[in-house]
Amino acid sequence: MNQLRQVSFRRAPVFGSDVRNVFEHFFGGDIAVPASTVSSAWAPRVDIREENGRFLILADVPGVDLADIEIQMEKNVLSIKGERKPFASETEGKFSRVERAAGAFKRSFTLPESADADGITASGAHGVLEIAIPKKAQSAPRRIAINAAG
């Protein structure tokens, strides 16, 4: 005789009733992006776009002095390092909520073989760092003639 077993599920508490907070709690705030490495407590959010002749990385770095950001390219891995200093207002008064992170950050991206490491340029304005990575010129296929030995 089949017996039905009653199973009860208990709902896990949702912090602040915000589903995003649950994901951030379990996944560390960032959902992993292929070919990207985050190795710090906080990291700027980025958009990566491929255009006809270049790749473009746009990183949100509000409150970070652009002169303090270091960009390196080694073995097709582009690394962005920097630090956001604590805000002056964080030393005064009592906070009921703190969401803006401070401290050092590092992001790394593996670039395709078509990226031209020698032509990388960076600029920034209004809290956005823009890194332009040109693509290497593609060589056209070439027909090779065969010399008849004879």
Side-chain angles (χ1 to χ4, degrees), residues 17-136:
S17 72
D18 184 1
V19 176
R20 183 173 180 87
N21 284 341
V22 173
F23 279 97
E24 288 178 356
H25 175 73
F26 287 109
F27 297 111
D30 273 335
I31 296 174
V33 176
S36 172
T37 304
V38 178
S39 61
S40 56
W42 84 276
R45 304 265 186 194
V46 299
D47 292 336
I48 301 174
R49 184 171 62 217
E50 182 175 1
E51 297 176 347
N52 283 338
R54 68 181 184 165
F55 300 98
L56 191 63
I57 297 176
L58 302 168
D60 284 343
V61 289
V64 178
D65 187 355
L66 294 176
D68 293 337
I69 295 177
E70 183 180 318
I71 303 170
Q72 289 185 344
M73 178 75 166
E74 184 178 352
K75 298 181 183 175
N76 271 17
V77 176
L78 180 85
S79 297
I80 306 168
K81 292 186 339 186
E83 181 177 2
R84 181 161 49 201
K85 307 280 191 254
F87 300 97
S89 63
E90 290 180 359
T91 60
E92 301 171 9
K94 180 181 174 186
F95 285 89
S96 59
R97 185 176 193 127
V98 175
E99 293 185 350
R100 300 178 307 159
F105 67 86
K106 181 176 181 182
R107 296 281 316 251
S108 297
F109 305 92
T110 302
L111 299 177
E113 293 294 325
S114 61
D116 181 7
D118 296 330
I120 295 175
T121 59
S123 61
H126 308 292
V128 178
L129 173 66
E130 180 177 303
I131 303 170
I133 305 142
K135 293 181 181 178
K136 293 178 185 173

